[in-house]
Amino acid sequence: MEQPLVSVIIPVYNGERFVGEAIGSVLGQGLPASMVEIIVIDDGSTDGTATAVARFGDRVRYQYQPNRGAAAARNTGLGLAQGDLIGLLDSDDMYADGMLRATTGLLRANPSVEIVMGYSQYLFLEGADLSARAFRFADETHRALNLLPSAGLYRRSVFGRVGGFDETLPFGDDFDWFARAREQQATIQILNQVTQFYRFHTNNLTNQVAMLKVNLVGMLKKSLDRRRQQAMGNMPALSTFPVADPPADAG
């Protein structure tokens, strides 16, 4: 069976400190170069992000856009991606060794599965404000099963049903997407291994807990509104956040 192309989308904003390691974690997965495309969407960075990405040459496709937020950057990447399988790696995260081999293998063996999610390993960097953590770990492994975009691999077709990311949400657009995926009954399989390293540091968006909570409330309200509309028979078949088709020369 032919190995499908995997498109890994990395949205970044002022991420020169981490983005090189994120890219390196994709290149280190051991898949043939012809089977993986890396797309970096620079969402208006004003630091040395472009220089950090340029070091990887033609192994990475770099696209700059004015600052519009992580959701818009992910949507831009989805529109450019040519792969049948999609990875969504935040610029300050890293793939664990073997992540892409394990997730692609599971998706190839199970055609009905649309999303494979693994465990996240949390790394706390010097200076990180641990008091801002939104949850506590049951033990000291700092390992958890969360619906975080970077921890999964997705069939492109699932975005055709669920749609892209809600660009009106400055925070919580990933939570909103998974809520809509659940509403559309997307099939998710859990992989019992660490697939993502999530790094806590001083600039994590999730450290801005008050704003995150406000947006989560808004996301939950949207989900409830959609469920009410669906119950009343007024819910459209597809999400209102479309994803562009891949380029015509995708092959």
Side-chain angles (χ1 to χ4, degrees):
M1 184 183 298
E2 184 178 353
Q3 173 72 41
L5 177 66
V6 180
S7 297
V8 179
I9 299 163
I10 304 178
V12 58
Y13 173 70
N14 286 347
E16 65 174 323
R17 177 183 176 189
F18 295 117
V19 69
E21 291 175 307
I23 294 169
S25 77
V26 181
L27 296 176
Q29 289 295 303
L31 294 181
S34 61
M35 294 296 102
V36 180
E37 69 167 353
I38 303 173
I39 302 171
V40 173
I41 307 299
D42 186 342
D43 191 50
S45 296
T46 57
D47 65 352
T49 291
T51 301
V53 175
R55 296 190 181 102
F56 293 91
D58 60 7
R59 288 302 313 272
V60 177
R61 181 176 181 180
Y62 172 85
Q63 173 100 8
Y64 179 90
Q65 68 181 28
N67 181 252
R68 292 162 47 204
R74 291 186 180 115
N75 287 342
T76 297
L78 287 170
L80 295 174
Q82 300 183 51
D84 292 325
L85 303 180
I86 302 292
L88 297 166
L89 180 61
D90 287 350
S91 63
D92 51 0
D93 294 343
M94 297 182 295
Y95 280 155
D97 289 346
M99 186 277 194
L100 288 183
R101 283 194 179 276
T103 53
T104 56
L106 196 154
L107 287 170
R108 292 173 69 195
N110 299 274
S112 64
V113 175
E114 296 175 287
I115 304 168
V116 177
M117 299 297 301
Y119 283 77
S120 298
Q121 180 74 53
Y122 289 77
L123 307 177
F124 298 95
L125 305 188
E126 184 177 356
D129 181 7
L130 303 189
S131 66
R133 281 161 42 191
F135 59 92
R136 297 290 171 180
F137 297 97
D139 53 39
E140 292 305 312
T141 64
H142 295 160
R143 178 176 180 262
L145 180 63
N146 281 332
L147 293 178
L148 297 176
S150 297
L153 193 67
Y154 312 77
R155 294 193 192 276
R156 181 183 184 85
S157 56
V158 77
F159 293 98
R161 292 201 301 115
V162 176
F165 293 86
D166 187 347
E167 299 180 17
T168 69
L169 295 172
F171 300 94
D173 61 284
D174 50 352
F175 293 98
D176 172 79
W177 190 89
F178 280 111
R180 288 186 282 120
R182 182 178 180 183
E183 292 162 19
Q184 293 287 342
Q185 299 182 335
T187 306
I188 302 177
Q189 185 157 332
I190 304 303
L191 183 65
N192 189 27
Q193 70 181 61
V194 172
T195 55
Q196 169 212 25
F197 293 111
Y198 182 102
R199 295 189 279 197
F200 271 93
H201 54 87
T202 54
N203 295 325
N204 281 122
L205 285 178
T206 46
N207 281 345
Q208 303 180 41
V209 176
M211 183 64 72
L212 180 61
K213 287 180 177 178
V214 169
N215 279 272
L216 286 178
V217 170
M219 178 273 292
L220 291 172
K221 182 181 184 303
K222 288 188 176 190
S223 180
L224 289 172
D225 289 344
R226 287 192 300 269
R227 290 170 185 264
R228 290 192 187 101
Q229 291 174 6
Q230 191 172 42
M232 295 170 62
N234 297 326
M235 185 66 182
L238 295 178
S239 164
T240 55
F241 308 106
V243 175
D245 290 328
D249 60 352

